[in-house]
Amino acid sequence: MEAPKQKIDRGAEFDGYADHYGAGMENPAKRLAGASPEDFLKPKIDLLAGLIDNLPESASLLDFGCGTGGFAALIQSRWPSLGVEGCDLSEGMLDEAVRRGTTLNLWKYDGRDLPFERYDLVTAVCVFHHICPSEWVVVANRIRKALKPGGRFVLIEHNPWNPVTSWVVAHTAIDANAVLLSANTARRIFREAGLRTIQVQNFLFFPPRLVWLRPVDRALGGVPLGGQYFLVAENAVRGTP
Ligand SMILES: C[S@@+](CC[C@H](N)C(=O)[O-])C[C@H]1O[C@@H](n2cnc3c(N)ncnc32)[C@H](O)[C@@H]1O
């Protein structure tokens, strides 16, 4: 997919989708694959469990580009002792989160620096493909600085190598300006931003509705053709080269 020529105001772009935001569920192919946006979020939460279960109970987590807060809310309800925050460029998406009754600390991101070394874990779910490619390293670097030494960044993204994903993105209104990035591109971006990729798990080989195929989905994690990928990158521990 070609990069958009004009600079797009991503906050304002999502303000326009915020009212009754449904994560692209208006696409019939997506509705066939899963019953609700939560159906697509739950497998991601299961993938996160391996990481979060090894964090201290009161660890701090930021969901970067949290939108209406659905992913952050699922994390907080499964791990209630974690300090979960979310941030987003779009005021409209955050207002919609409030309208839906969020009790989380979701704050408006001004597009500049994030709080320094505050988080053990930062997640970004389907956010980077809405960021202009020329900004990818800059944003990854801001996220790295927001991590504590040894903290982790989890990127969850659409896989451009999966034809179904590419088709759905091409036919979904909120993705009109999306530029998909492969796991290899993400690795390169993170290397440039000073983050070390330690895990790539491909998933969503099968629609979330076919929940009984989840173990097969997990077993295929090394095959780079899933609908999405889950990438874990690590910030250096101070004192290590
Ligand atoms: C497709 S939505 C995903 C929302 C949420 N992560 C989820 O999975 O439901 C993309 C979100 O990224 C936000 N976004 C786009 N560019 C951003 C940026 N540079 N910084 C922070 N948020 C951004 C948008 O405002 C939007 O809420």
Side-chain angles (χ1 to χ4, degrees), residues 10-11 14 21 23 41 63-68 71 87-90 93 109 125-127 129-131 139 174:
R10 303 291 174 165
F14 271 87
Y21 172 74
L41 293 178
D63 187 32
F64 180 83
C66 63
T68 53
F71 190 64
C87 72
D88 201 286
L89 274 185
S90 162
M93 294 291 267
Y109 174 50
V125 182
C126 296
V127 179
H129 65 257
H130 292 293
I131 295 174
V139 175
I174 57 167

Side-chain angles (χ1 to χ4, degrees), residues 70-240:
F71 190 64
L74 286 176
I75 295 173
Q76 187 75 86
S77 69
R78 179 144 167 192
W79 294 278
S81 66
L82 288 184
V84 178
E85 296 175 27
C87 72
D88 201 286
L89 274 185
S90 162
E91 191 111 46
M93 294 291 267
L94 297 171
D95 287 347
E96 180 66 10
V98 171
R99 200 187 64 76
R100 294 179 189 191
T102 187
T103 52
L104 295 173
N105 175 12
L106 306 183
W107 46 272
K108 167 90 172 75
Y109 174 50
D110 63 6
R112 292 194 281 270
D113 284 341
L114 295 161
F116 184 64
E117 290 190 0
R118 183 190 290 188
Y119 304 103
D120 297 284
L121 186 64
V122 174
T123 54
V125 182
C126 296
V127 179
F128 266 60
H129 65 257
H130 292 293
I131 295 174
C132 187
S134 61
E135 294 281 303
W136 283 340
V137 175
V138 177
V139 175
N141 197 35
R142 287 188 185 128
I143 290 172
R144 177 186 61 75
K145 289 197 233 163
L147 287 168
K148 294 177 186 172
R152 306 261 167 96
F153 174 38
V154 170
L155 177 83
I156 300 179
E157 267 302 330
H158 293 323
N159 181 5
W161 294 357
N162 178 293
V164 178
T165 295
S166 295
W167 186 89
V168 171
V169 167
H171 293 86
T172 299
I174 57 167
D175 291 325
N177 294 309
V179 181
L180 300 190
L181 60 158
S182 67
N184 282 345
T185 301
R187 267 181 195 273
R188 181 184 50 73
I189 292 162
F190 294 156
R191 198 166 42 242
E192 283 183 43
L195 287 159
R196 190 170 65 95
T197 298
I198 56 172
Q199 184 194 345
V200 179
Q201 172 91 19
N202 299 281
F203 70 107
L204 219 60
F205 290 89
F206 305 105
R209 265 189 207 278
L210 306 184
V211 73
W212 62 92
L213 285 173
R214 200 70 65 72
V216 186
D217 212 282
R218 284 301 271 267
L220 290 170
V223 181
L225 293 171
Q228 296 190 335
Y229 61 88
F230 174 97
L231 186 151
V232 184
E234 190 174 55
N235 189 18
V237 176
R238 232 184 244 121
T240 55

Side-chain angles (χ1 to χ4, degrees), residues 50-65:
L51 279 181
I52 296 186
D53 289 343
N54 287 313
L55 287 176
E57 275 200 358
S58 60
S60 51
L61 184 148
L62 174 70
D63 187 32
F64 180 83

